[in-house]
Amino acid sequence: MPEPTKKDETETQSAPPPPEQKTPQDGGTGKDKDEDDTSVSTPPADGMSKPAERKDSVWSIGEGAPEESEKRDDSQMSTLFIEKPQSGSVSVGGNITFIAKVEAKDLLRKPNVKWFKGKWMDLASKAGKHLQLKESFERHTKIHTFEMHIIKAKENFAGNYRCEVSYKDKFDSCSFDLEVTESSQAAQSIDIRSAFKRSGEGQEDAGELDFSGLLKRREIKQQEEEPEVDVWELLKNANPSEYEKIAFQYGITDLRGMLKRLKRMRREVKKSAAFAKGLDPAYQVDKGGKVRFMVELADPTVELKWYKNGQEIRPSAKYIFEHKGNQRILFINNCTMADDARYYVTAGDEKCSTELFVRDPPILVTKSLEDTSTYVGERVELSCEVSEENANVKWFRNGVELSDDPHSRYRIKVEGKKHTLIIEEAAKNDNATYSVMTTGGQSEAKLSVDLRPLKISLALEDQTVRLGQEIHLKCEISENVEGKWYKNGQLVEASDRVKLYHKGRIHRFVIASSAVDDEGEYMFVPDAYNINIPCKVHVVDPPKLHLDGLGENNTVTVVAGSKLRLEIPITGEPTPKVVWSRGDKGITDSGRIRAETYPDSSCLVIDAAEREDSGPFRITLKNEAGEDTALINIKVVDVPDPPQAPNVTEVGEDWCVMTWEPPANDGGSPILGYFIERKKKQSSRWMRLNFELIKETTFEPKKMIEGVAYEVRVFAVNAIGISKPSMPSKSFVPLAVTSPPTLLAVDGVTDTSVTMKWRPPDHIGAAGLDGYVVEYCFEGNGFSQGISTDLSEELLEPPFHVEADEWIVANPELTDKTKFTINGLPTGSKILVRVKAVNAAGESEPRYHPQPILVKEVIEPPKIRLPRHLKQTYTRRVGETVNLVIPFQGRPRAKVSWEKNGSPIDKNHINIRNTENDTIIFIRKAERCHSGEYDMKVEVENLVDKATIDIQIVDRPGPPEIVIIDDVWGENVNLSWKPPKDDGNAAITGYTIQKADKKSMEWFTVMEHYHRTSATINELIIGNEYYFRVFAENMCGLSEDATMTKESALIAKDGKVYKYPVYNDFDFTERPMFTQPLVNTFAVAGYNATLNCSVRGNPKPKITWLKNKVIIMNDPRYRMFSNQGVCTLEIRKPSPYDGGTYTCRAVNTLGEAEVECKLEVKVIYQGVINPGEPFFLAGNNQLHSKDF
């Protein structure tokens, strides 16, 4: 057994792979990406190791894997092939075709055919310049033909090929061989075939000659001839900054562990008495090799033990122990990365340790980088292949390592053994030498990036734009490169105003709003090219007047006598010519009215403006770019003229009311208001009364002294100033006058008291109102003479002579209320009452009650004041609220009772609330059972008044009883039906008819608000079958349900003879019948009254009016009308004697009818009982106006 190496000695040593010579019969199935790779053997260093074998074995012609032989045997049992491809031979550079045919009689679609080289290489992905696959189909013979053409064959094309065909569960396969004859010029010492490889699979240049393979082999051979390097020695002597580089180059994965072990190795080894010769500090071996540890003992009888990372090593097939004299040897076979550890051996109490480094085999570059030339902006891929998949590979640019950072311009792609450096868009600065480094080799290539020839697809165009419009310059070049814009030779940068756009090959220069300074020569210069694209931009500025500062309608106002200098800003390039004119006359640059022109403005000057200067002035601008003109209205204003002398229309205690007319001339400016001044007539000092302008032409001066004469005057004010004062008014004197109370009336009378009420005086002086004094006197003092009978008269003088000491003061202290009760009066006596208003100035004139008042409680007969809308039937829908308020009168203590249809009202369903003056009937949610006649009765002692209210609660009706199809003819159907049993307590107002096709049963309305109980439905579709249904309708709406015909109506396609129905003449004759009766009515004396009713009948009845059963004939106080059945009797200015019972009689040949009503005429008197309220006298009854 050979001795193990120390430090730099390994069990096996890799030798350079010699180029293998292939005979024409050799055919290999190499790796998919490199077909021409040959087997590499590793000779043993000591003559005992077996040579290493490749994973991909090379087959000779006609030989294959056992699995394929079995597969081929099974495929021969299939009958898909009717002609199989045959083996053939071709010389280098020649062409050859292999043909396979499949019969398609039993196949529903085209079979799937694949061509393979060797065992696994699918040739569909290799089609290109040297390999073409074709297929065709002969329709007459139903045969599919598949062809494989090899063009310009090369020596490495030789080998075993296979054709497979499959269809559903059927499969057939056939193998054949290709022999390529060697060229006579091939070198014997070098495998020329290894130089032929596909530089790009499936590309146009696939299979081209490439000498990089030969150069690579020479580089590898030179590397292998270099002496073995000890990694431990390198790490010991290297700078710490170079540790990572050494670890990558020699395949060290655990650099931190290696450094820890190296630190232990550097410790000083002490001399041992047990070991004559110990272990070396470190050993290294390639992965898969064998290492030998040897120590020499001073005493061979000492027991020896071996340890790995503290664990004792036992003899096995991997670990072999050997003894030679004093030498103890440990062999470790088939070293793996797990054997990379610390080992030590113990002899008694002493031990000796070492470190073993297992090195991965070097990663070789099997396909080198190639020099590449490209253009700027193109995608660049630099590819190489290494000997192991997913190996650690580093890329460099000019010796600087490239990182695979996501933000980097460089992207590294790994596909198995293939490593690619990708540059998406090459730039000029990408010119460099790029290299790739592995642990066993390196390769480099040069990348040359040049500019493409630049062409101008779209040049810049000269532009003329208006001021404020957009400037848009656009050019297009043949390359996607950046560039710069220049204006008049100065670089232009992008800003908020200037926008520069670059998209692809198009460059744009945009200014949204052009200015005068934007005019000039523009130029675009592409980066890295000595070329420019010029154009000119001309900005045109038409003349323009800027009138923003002027008022509405360009009106300028100036005060008369002032100087006007109106400056109008103007723009335009070149400077426009300015012309001012007034009417047809131009304005020069001299005179009182003149024009002054400047480069950026023009002025209109008016010295000492006069009212005649008012009017329109025109300004016109002209230049070569256009024209602009405007009208400017000059308005000269002045203070207004003084108003006329004011008039004093009313005078009070310390105030007055004055009015005046506006001035005839407002000075050209609207009047803003007026100032008022006053003075005493004997004084010459005027005093301003208002400091804020008065808009109206009336004013009320106050705080004047009673009995002193005053004068007032007025000033008019406009926006210019204050006018001269008006002439003084006529003198006036303020007086203290307090009017007496008003509307004195009796509010209530009892057996011992009388309550009076009144209203405050119409005019209360500045002293205010302190209260009232109520006075009365009894009968027997002579006041019965000359009593006024006009109850509407308010008396300021007593209606009789009464001495002042006969009036009794009812309230010793003033009362501030307008109501007072005089108590302690004897029953049955009569009194007269008067009231005075009292203030600081004294008592006002008394207000007398015009009639003596009887001190006795008066019985007021009951009277129901039924509202007008309740005199007819009161209708509400189901669910609505019924809230009726019926006022009545009657004293004292009127009693109210209710009945419904003659029975007492159930208060659980209907709420009744009574007060002194009215009664309320309330139903929260009305139902049909609440319908009926409600009788109201009001009782006061033995007096009774009654009223009846008819309440009708209505709801939607029920459906019609039955709907019948009477007849069908042509496109028409005649329907009839019966009215519904339930009309919802309201008259049926109509019907709604709908139809539905029997197929869809979708309902459509054909008639609405139809009043009859039969109808004819027209325009039906021939051939369809219809159903019909009918809804009933009243004032509440349609019935919830409808009645549908039990049978359907078929509109036959064949015509039918229509049978006309026989109709009897309708008898329209009718005896007279009143549809609206007469209503009891109250009339006011002196006001016209009318009685109305309506009647129908045929023939037309004769109308006769009667009063108290006496026919009214030839009486001018009565007018009778009859129009469309409405009968009216008008009574002109009735008197109480016109009251009575009126009757309307209608007579025709079939009979007669009568209706009657009562008319009561009332006389109105003002303020007898309640001040300000009328009351009526009708016979012995007194009725208040509120009853109406």
Side-chain angles (χ1 to χ4, degrees):
M1 183 176 292
E3 294 290 330
T5 59
K6 302 176 181 177
K7 297 183 181 179
D8 56 344
E9 293 178 348
T10 58
E11 181 62 29
T12 59
Q13 183 175 3
S14 299
E20 180 183 346
Q21 301 293 330
K22 285 191 178 181
T23 62
Q25 291 80 13
D26 292 339
T29 59
K31 302 177 183 177
D32 293 347
K33 297 182 180 179
D34 193 359
E35 299 175 10
D36 57 335
D37 285 349
T38 58
S39 300
V40 179
S41 61
T42 305
D46 53 3
M48 294 183 65
S49 300
K50 295 181 181 180
E53 295 182 357
R54 288 190 57 184
K55 294 180 181 179
D56 299 334
S57 59
V58 180
W59 299 342
S60 62
I61 298 177
E63 294 179 350
E67 294 83 354
E68 188 172 345
S69 299
E70 295 176 3
K71 193 173 183 180
R72 208 164 39 239
D73 293 341
D74 295 338
S75 66
Q76 292 175 359
M77 299 172 63
S78 178
T79 58
L80 291 177
F81 279 121
I82 60 174
E83 181 179 337
K84 300 182 179 180
Q86 304 298 323
S87 301
S89 176
V90 66
S91 59
V92 175
N95 301 337
I96 187 169
T97 302
F98 296 93
I99 301 175
K101 295 184 178 181
V102 178
E103 189 173 10
K105 290 182 179 180
D106 300 330
L107 306 182
L108 299 178
R109 56 181 176 82
K110 185 184 72 173
N112 187 19
V113 175
K114 293 184 179 180
W115 299 85
F116 294 92
K117 179 182 179 185
K119 188 175 182 180
W120 305 112
M121 183 181 294
D122 188 355
L123 297 180
S125 61
K126 306 296 181 181
K129 183 176 181 181
H130 297 282
L131 176 65
Q132 296 182 1
L133 302 178
K134 297 183 178 180
E135 58 183 49
S136 61
F137 176 68
E138 182 63 37
R139 294 185 179 273
H140 300 291
T141 59
K142 294 186 177 180
I143 294 176
H144 290 278
T145 302
F146 302 93
E147 301 178 359
M148 181 177 72
H149 297 277
I150 297 178
I151 304 170
K152 296 182 181 180
K154 300 181 181 181
E155 290 184 4
N156 62 338
F157 291 179
N160 179 259
Y161 292 81
R162 186 171 78 259
C163 178
E164 293 182 358
V165 61
S166 61
Y167 177 77
K168 292 186 177 179
D169 56 345
K170 297 182 180 180
F171 178 79
D172 202 352
S173 177
C174 175
S175 297
F176 56 94
D177 297 320
L178 172 63
E179 180 182 358
V180 180
T181 306
E182 282 186 336
S183 176
S184 58
Q185 290 82 7
Q188 300 299 322
S189 59
I190 299 176
D191 186 7
I192 299 299
R193 289 179 299 167
S194 63
F196 289 89
K197 64 179 180 178
R198 295 182 184 270
S199 58
E201 295 177 3
Q203 306 296 326
E204 287 296 325
D205 58 349
E208 292 297 324
L209 186 60
D210 187 5
F211 291 99
S212 61
L214 299 179
L215 297 175
K216 178 186 70 175
R217 297 186 185 279
R218 293 176 182 174
E219 292 171 1
I220 294 174
K221 185 173 181 181
Q222 293 172 2
Q223 293 174 4
E224 295 295 338
E225 290 176 357
E226 294 179 358
E228 185 70 19
V229 178
D230 188 353
V231 178
W232 295 104
E233 292 296 333
L234 285 176
L235 292 174
K236 284 181 182 180
N237 303 322
N239 192 319
S241 61
E242 299 179 356
Y243 284 164
E244 290 188 2
K245 183 177 180 181
I246 295 173
F248 171 76
Q249 186 173 357
Y250 293 97
I252 299 174
T253 57
D254 186 11
L255 177 60
R256 184 174 298 178
M258 289 287 292
L259 295 176
K260 289 181 179 179
R261 291 154 64 183
L262 180 62
K263 187 176 181 181
R264 290 198 300 266
M265 289 170 52
R266 290 178 176 176
R267 296 172 184 171
E268 187 174 336
V269 181
K270 298 180 181 179
K271 292 184 179 181
S272 174
F275 294 99
K277 183 178 179 181
L279 295 173
D280 290 335
Y283 294 81
Q284 69 178 15
V285 64
D286 288 338
K287 184 178 179 181
K290 183 166 93 174
V291 68
R292 173 177 175 268
F293 295 149
M294 188 274 292
V295 296
E296 188 174 345
L297 299 176
D299 184 2
T301 62
V302 176
E303 183 180 1
L304 194 71
K305 291 184 180 181
W306 293 88
Y307 294 87
K308 172 186 176 184
N309 289 338
Q311 299 293 327
E312 184 178 356
I313 300 174
R314 300 293 183 180
S316 64
K318 183 175 183 67
Y319 301 101
I320 300 173
F321 297 93
E322 186 176 335
H323 297 258
K324 285 185 179 181
N326 291 346
Q327 293 182 353
R328 302 293 185 264
I329 304 172
L330 170 62
F331 291 96
I332 303 176
N333 296 323
N334 192 19
C335 291
T336 64
M337 297 305 296
D339 296 322
D340 190 292
R342 181 171 179 264
Y343 294 82
Y344 64 89
V345 59
T346 61
D349 295 335
E350 296 188 13
K351 69 177 180 179
C352 181
S353 63
T354 186
E355 298 282 348
L356 175 62
F357 168 53
V358 181
R359 186 175 63 178
D360 278 334
I363 304 299
L364 304 178
V365 179
T366 58
K367 182 179 177 181
S368 302
L369 299 175
E370 299 178 356
D371 292 343
T372 304
S373 297
T374 185
Y375 291 110
V376 172
E378 296 291 337
R379 177 186 171 97
V380 178
E381 293 187 2
L382 300 176
S383 301
C384 71
E385 294 185 5
V386 297
S387 57
E388 296 291 339
E389 293 186 357
N390 299 323
N392 189 8
V393 173
K394 291 191 176 183
W395 291 85
F396 297 88
R397 179 180 182 275
N398 292 335
V400 179
E401 183 179 355
L402 299 178
S403 62
D404 193 12
D405 185 10
H407 303 288
S408 175
R409 295 185 65 254
Y410 304 97
R411 187 164 59 90
I412 299 173
K413 181 179 179 184
V414 180
E415 296 178 339
K417 298 180 181 180
K418 185 176 181 180
H419 293 253
T420 306
L421 177 66
I422 301 174
I423 304 175
E424 293 295 342
E425 293 185 1
K428 189 69 176 176
N429 55 2
D430 289 328
N431 283 308
T433 299
Y434 295 84
S435 59
V436 62
M437 178 183 292
T438 65
T439 59
Q442 65 178 12
S443 177
E444 66 179 24
K446 291 184 178 181
L447 174 62
S448 177
V449 181
D450 296 326
L451 294 173
R452 292 180 184 272
L454 187 67
K455 295 181 180 180
I456 300 175
S457 304
L458 178 64
L460 296 176
E461 296 180 354
D462 295 342
Q463 292 188 8
T464 299
V465 297
R466 284 183 172 270
L467 185 68
Q469 293 184 347
E470 183 186 70
I471 299 176
H472 190 171
L473 305 179
K474 177 181 177 182
C475 67
E476 183 178 355
I477 55 179
S478 59
E479 297 300 323
N480 182 9
V481 296
E482 298 289 340
K484 294 181 177 59
W485 292 86
Y486 294 87
K487 174 192 172 185
N488 297 330
Q490 300 294 326
L491 179 64
V492 178
E493 299 288 348
S495 63
D496 294 339
R497 185 170 176 272
V498 179
K499 306 294 182 182
L500 304 180
Y501 300 97
H502 173 210
K503 183 176 181 182
R505 299 176 301 172
I506 297 176
H507 295 263
R508 293 187 298 129
F509 179 96
V510 178
I511 298 178
S513 179
S514 61
V516 178
D517 296 339
D518 294 328
E519 183 174 344
E521 295 184 359
Y522 290 82
M523 178 174 59
F524 176 73
V525 179
D527 291 346
Y529 288 93
N530 188 17
I531 189 173
N532 61 74
I533 307 173
C535 73
K536 292 182 179 180
V537 175
H538 180 55
V539 179
V540 177
D541 185 13
K544 183 174 180 58
L545 291 166
H546 300 275
L547 306 175
D548 299 337
L550 300 182
E552 186 179 1
N553 299 325
N554 296 335
T555 301
V556 179
T557 304
V558 60
V559 179
S562 301
K563 180 178 180 179
L564 172 65
R565 183 178 180 86
L566 177 61
E567 183 175 359
I568 306 297
I570 60 175
T571 57
E573 185 65 30
T575 303
K577 181 181 179 181
V578 183
V579 176
W580 286 88
S581 61
R582 183 180 183 185
D584 298 332
K585 183 179 180 182
I587 298 176
T588 62
D589 56 356
S590 61
R592 189 177 65 86
I593 302 177
R594 61 186 181 275
E596 299 177 0
T597 302
Y598 303 95
D600 57 348
S601 64
S602 180
C603 293
L604 175 66
V605 180
I606 302 178
D607 294 330
E610 301 173 357
R611 289 191 178 184
E612 292 75 17
D613 296 334
S614 298
F617 287 76
R618 180 179 295 277
I619 178 174
T620 303
L621 303 183
K622 291 183 180 180
N623 69 357
E624 61 181 0
E627 180 179 342
D628 193 11
T629 183
L631 279 176
I632 300 175
N633 296 316
I634 303 298
K635 183 178 181 182
V636 181
V637 296
D638 200 354
V639 296
D641 292 340
Q644 297 293 327
N647 295 323
V648 177
T649 60
E650 190 174 353
V651 177
E653 178 185 357
D654 63 344
W655 53 271
C656 71
V657 176
M658 56 181 292
T659 61
W660 62 91
E661 295 296 329
N665 188 350
D666 61 359
S669 179
I671 298 298
L672 302 179
Y674 302 89
F675 284 121
I676 313 299
E677 289 184 351
R678 79 177 180 202
K679 75 177 183 67
K680 296 178 182 179
K681 185 177 181 181
Q682 294 80 5
S683 175
S684 61
R685 179 184 175 187
W686 291 92
M687 182 176 65
R688 178 72 55 87
L689 298 183
N690 63 309
F691 295 95
E692 293 183 1
L693 291 177
I694 297 174
K695 307 290 183 181
E696 298 80 15
T697 58
T698 180
F699 184 71
E700 183 179 340
K702 294 182 179 180
K703 297 182 181 181
M704 291 182 289
I705 303 174
E706 292 178 318
V708 178
Y710 288 90
E711 293 178 348
V712 292
R713 67 181 182 181
V714 182
F715 294 84
V717 182
N718 65 3
I720 308 306
I722 303 175
S723 68
K724 294 180 180 181
S726 67
M727 295 298 294
S729 67
K730 294 181 179 180
S731 62
F732 60 92
V733 178
L735 297 175
V737 176
T738 301
S739 63
T742 59
L743 301 178
L744 178 62
V746 177
D747 188 58
V749 179
T750 66
D751 292 339
T752 59
S753 65
V754 173
T755 302
M756 305 298 293
K757 64 179 181 180
W758 61 91
R759 298 294 296 167
D762 292 335
H763 302 287
I764 299 175
L769 180 63
D770 297 334
Y772 300 92
V773 174
V774 180
E775 297 177 343
Y776 68 95
C777 66
F778 288 101
E779 184 182 17
N781 293 328
F783 65 85
S784 59
Q785 302 176 5
I787 297 177
S788 175
T789 58
D790 188 357
L791 300 181
S792 61
E793 181 182 0
E794 289 192 6
L795 302 180
L796 295 178
E797 296 292 334
F800 39 78
H801 177 73
V802 179
E803 297 295 332
D805 55 354
E806 295 179 354
W807 288 98
I808 303 172
V809 178
N811 55 327
E813 296 182 358
L814 295 178
T815 177
D816 57 350
K817 302 184 181 304
T818 58
K819 185 175 182 181
F820 186 81
T821 301
I822 306 173
N823 298 313
L825 299 175
T827 303
S829 62
K830 292 184 179 181
I831 63 172
L832 188 67
V833 180
R834 69 180 184 182
V835 179
K836 299 178 182 178
V838 180
N839 62 5
E843 296 180 349
S844 67
E845 291 293 329
R847 176 71 65 185
Y848 292 88
H849 190 272
Q851 288 290 335
I853 303 170
L854 178 63
V855 183
K856 184 178 181 180
E857 188 170 8
V858 180
I859 296 177
E860 184 178 3
K863 189 65 179 178
I864 299 173
R865 301 301 181 183
L866 195 65
R868 186 179 298 276
H869 68 280
L870 296 180
K871 294 180 181 180
Q872 301 176 2
T873 301
Y874 182 79
T875 305
R876 278 291 180 270
R877 296 188 180 183
V878 172
E880 293 183 348
T881 300
V882 177
N883 188 14
L884 303 179
V885 180
I886 300 96
F888 62 86
Q889 69 182 30
R891 291 183 182 180
R893 296 173 296 278
K895 182 180 178 181
V896 181
S897 62
W898 284 90
E899 290 183 354
K900 176 188 174 185
N901 297 328
S903 301
I905 291 177
D906 185 2
K907 296 186 178 180
N908 294 327
H909 298 87
I910 301 175
N911 297 322
I912 303 294
R913 186 179 65 85
N914 299 323
T915 65
E916 293 182 359
N917 300 318
D918 58 25
T919 180
I920 299 174
I921 180 169
F922 177 78
I923 303 175
R924 185 176 301 277
K925 191 173 183 180
E927 297 179 359
R928 290 177 60 178
C929 62
H930 295 143
S931 300
E933 291 185 356
Y934 290 77
D935 298 323
M936 176 184 174
K937 183 169 67 174
V938 180
E939 298 177 76
V940 176
E941 295 185 357
N942 296 327
L943 302 177
V944 178
D945 193 12
K946 296 181 180 180
T948 301
I949 302 174
D950 187 8
I951 298 179
Q952 182 181 9
I953 308 300
V954 299
D955 197 0
R956 291 195 290 179
E961 288 189 42
I962 186 171
V963 181
I964 302 173
I965 299 176
D966 292 334
D967 196 4
V968 179
W969 74 95
E971 301 176 0
N972 309 304
V973 173
N974 189 26
L975 302 176
S976 65
W977 58 90
K978 293 183 179 180
K981 292 182 178 180
D982 182 11
D983 61 357
N985 207 21
I988 300 298
T989 59
Y991 299 90
T992 297
I993 306 169
Q994 294 183 345
K995 67 178 180 180
D997 192 302
K998 186 177 181 181
K999 298 178 182 178
S1000 63
M1001 289 306 292
E1002 292 184 8
W1003 293 96
F1004 299 93
T1005 301
V1006 295
M1007 290 185 179
E1008 288 181 308
H1009 313 302
Y1010 189 76
H1011 298 285
R1012 300 178 181 271
T1013 56
S1014 62
T1016 300
I1017 311 303
N1018 304 319
E1019 298 181 359
L1020 299 176
I1021 300 175
I1022 296 177
N1024 287 6
E1025 192 170 358
Y1026 293 89
Y1027 283 95
F1028 300 87
R1029 67 182 183 184
V1030 181
F1031 291 85
E1033 182 180 6
N1034 64 5
M1035 62 182 296
C1036 294
L1038 295 177
S1039 59
E1040 294 183 356
D1041 301 320
T1043 303
M1044 190 176 71
T1045 57
K1046 296 182 179 180
E1047 300 176 355
S1048 60
L1050 176 64
I1051 309 303
K1053 296 184 179 179
D1054 297 331
K1056 292 184 179 180
V1057 177
Y1058 176 66
K1059 181 180 179 181
Y1060 291 93
V1062 178
Y1063 297 102
N1064 296 325
D1065 293 337
F1066 185 78
D1067 185 9
F1068 290 97
T1069 61
E1070 182 182 11
R1071 66 176 294 169
M1073 181 179 66
F1074 283 93
T1075 59
Q1076 180 64 37
L1078 293 173
V1079 179
N1080 293 340
T1081 306
F1082 298 96
V1084 179
Y1087 295 91
N1088 291 355
T1090 58
L1091 302 178
N1092 298 288
C1093 62
S1094 61
V1095 65
R1096 70 181 184 186
N1098 191 20
K1100 184 177 179 180
K1102 179 180 178 181
I1103 305 301
T1104 305
W1105 287 90
L1106 300 90
K1107 175 188 175 184
N1108 297 328
K1109 304 301 182 180
V1110 177
I1111 298 176
I1112 301 173
M1113 295 180 60
N1114 301 324
D1115 193 337
R1117 294 185 300 111
Y1118 298 95
R1119 295 177 62 189
M1120 305 173 191
F1121 305 95
S1122 179
N1123 184 17
Q1124 299 293 330
V1126 178
C1127 304
T1128 303
L1129 174 64
E1130 182 181 359
I1131 306 172
R1132 297 183 178 181
K1133 297 182 179 181
S1135 65
Y1137 301 100
D1138 290 323
T1141 301
Y1142 286 81
T1143 303
C1144 181
R1145 178 184 298 167
V1147 180
N1148 67 0
T1149 58
L1150 299 180
E1152 67 178 31
E1154 290 183 357
V1155 291
E1156 63 181 22
C1157 69
K1158 292 183 178 181
L1159 174 66
E1160 186 175 356
V1161 180
K1162 301 178 182 181
V1163 179
I1164 184 170
Y1165 296 94
Q1166 183 73 24
V1168 175
I1169 298 177
N1170 295 326
E1173 296 186 4
F1175 79 96
F1176 303 95
L1177 292 179
N1180 296 324
N1181 298 328
Q1182 296 183 4
L1183 302 176
H1184 285 275
S1185 61
K1186 63 182 180 181
D1187 294 337
F1188 294 92

